[in-house]
Amino acid sequence: MTSRQAKGARVPIDVELRVAPDAISEARAAVDGLPGDDALLNNLRLLVSELVTNSVRHAGLDDRSRISLHIETTPAVVRVEVSDPGPGFAPSVPDLRISQESGWGLYLVDELADRWGVEAEGGTCVWFEIDR
Amino acid sequence: MTPFEVNATNEDGVVELALKGELDIASFSLIEDRLREVEAEKPKVIVFDLRELRFMDSTGLRVIISADKRARRDGWRVAVVEGPEAVHRVFRLALLDRRLDFVSDPAEARGDAS
């Protein structure tokens, strides 16, 4: 057990993404090499896709800006951070009583992540963690 | 990444939209443009066939929910052929697996239309 934990030491992934629609699939591809079962990797692909989409669509970034994707893993948890230089937002999830056409990204993050949050200091960082 | 493709067929007012590959914001305009084209033909039903879709994020929910709203408003129907688990669970998480009209294959939607 001790040796497995030692081998499962942090494998940080850092990807710089352009503010463009094809950045979303590039971000998902970064998940492919991570250790974990299909269920975990599918959750990560979906949530990474949602957060990078939010940065591309809503952060009001110019073409020269970059979106940073940071993923780190320990034997206990996977932590993902998506940062951009945008002004940030108040975290809220949609009300399912109304069939909505937007806001699903954070709803899915809220459903699938064990913890998540938004930090706004010199830009915006949306992070989430999934326990293994 | 598997590139996104959408193929439309129209048979007696039943439009099948077969989606392939990965559906995210990069494919949004492509599918919305195709939808507007087929909606202009005044279909009775539009069937989204998701069986060849490998990945879908909430972009897919937005596209199908808004088509379903237009259908209810304008008197046509939206049906969805369930995709693989990685795709269908997005509908389940959003509790839309029961609100949208899921059919097991396009023929089922054709049968309902007559």
Side-chain angles (χ1 to χ4, degrees):
Chain A
M1 198 61 198
T2 311
S3 66
R4 266 181 66 196
Q5 283 183 352
K7 269 199 283 183
R10 290 177 167 193
V11 188
I13 292 174
D14 282 289
V15 185
E16 292 273 294
L17 301 159
R18 286 170 305 109
V19 184
D22 59 7
I24 321 294
S25 58
E26 203 184 320
R28 277 201 302 277
V31 170
D32 289 345
L34 287 171
D37 58 20
D38 282 352
L40 175 68
L41 295 189
N42 282 336
N43 285 345
L44 290 170
R45 283 189 193 99
L46 180 58
L47 299 192
V48 161
S49 209
E50 298 298 342
L51 293 188
V52 176
T53 300
N54 282 352
S55 285
V56 169
R57 289 185 68 210
H58 302 304
L61 305 174
D62 63 36
D63 291 348
R64 284 164 302 169
S65 298
R66 291 292 178 269
I67 298 162
S68 307
L69 169 67
H70 175 82
I71 306 175
E72 57 187 40
T73 68
T74 70
V77 65
V78 183
R79 180 182 171 91
V80 175
E81 299 175 0
V82 175
S83 312
D84 66 53
F89 59 93
S92 68
V93 294
D95 185 343
L96 273 182
R97 288 171 297 181
I98 315 158
S99 191
Q100 291 215 3
E101 289 163 48
S102 62
W104 289 112
L106 288 180
Y107 171 83
L108 294 172
V109 173
D110 196 53
E111 284 290 305
L112 293 173
D114 291 291
R115 290 162 295 283
W116 69 280
V118 182
E119 284 160 21
E121 271 189 30
T124 303
C125 171
V126 186
W127 62 269
F128 69 84
E129 293 180 349
I130 298 179
D131 295 335
R132 286 175 173 278
Chain B
M1 145 155 210
T2 328
F4 180 76
E5 269 181 54
V6 50
N7 291 299
T9 55
N10 186 343
E11 207 181 309
D12 299 329
V14 180
V15 173
E16 280 178 42
L17 278 184
L19 313 188
K20 281 187 186 174
E22 301 187 12
L23 172 53
D24 63 22
I25 195 70
S27 12
F28 182 73
S29 322
L30 179 62
I31 185 169
E32 280 289 308
D33 289 351
R34 280 321 282 279
L35 257 178
R36 300 307 163 135
E37 281 169 30
V38 298
E39 285 176 28
E41 296 166 18
K42 307 276 182 211
K44 289 183 278 193
V45 189
I46 292 183
V47 187
F48 290 89
D49 184 347
L50 309 184
R51 288 175 295 182
E52 297 296 319
L53 210 53
R54 298 274 74 83
F55 173 86
M56 183 194 89
D57 63 18
S58 64
T59 305
L61 299 181
R62 284 171 59 210
V63 168
I64 294 178
I65 290 169
S66 53
D68 191 57
K69 279 188 177 169
R70 292 191 300 275
R72 287 167 196 274
R73 185 192 66 202
D74 300 337
W76 45 282
R77 230 159 47 80
V78 163
V80 186
V81 183
E82 190 176 315
E85 173 57 19
V87 169
H88 192 60
R89 74 195 195 106
V90 184
F91 291 97
R92 234 182 6 247
L93 285 163
L95 309 181
L96 291 167
D97 53 326
R98 278 165 287 175
R99 290 181 73 153
L100 292 168
D101 184 8
F102 278 92
V103 294
S104 49
D105 65 81
E108 197 182 323
R110 268 197 298 276
D112 289 351
S114 57

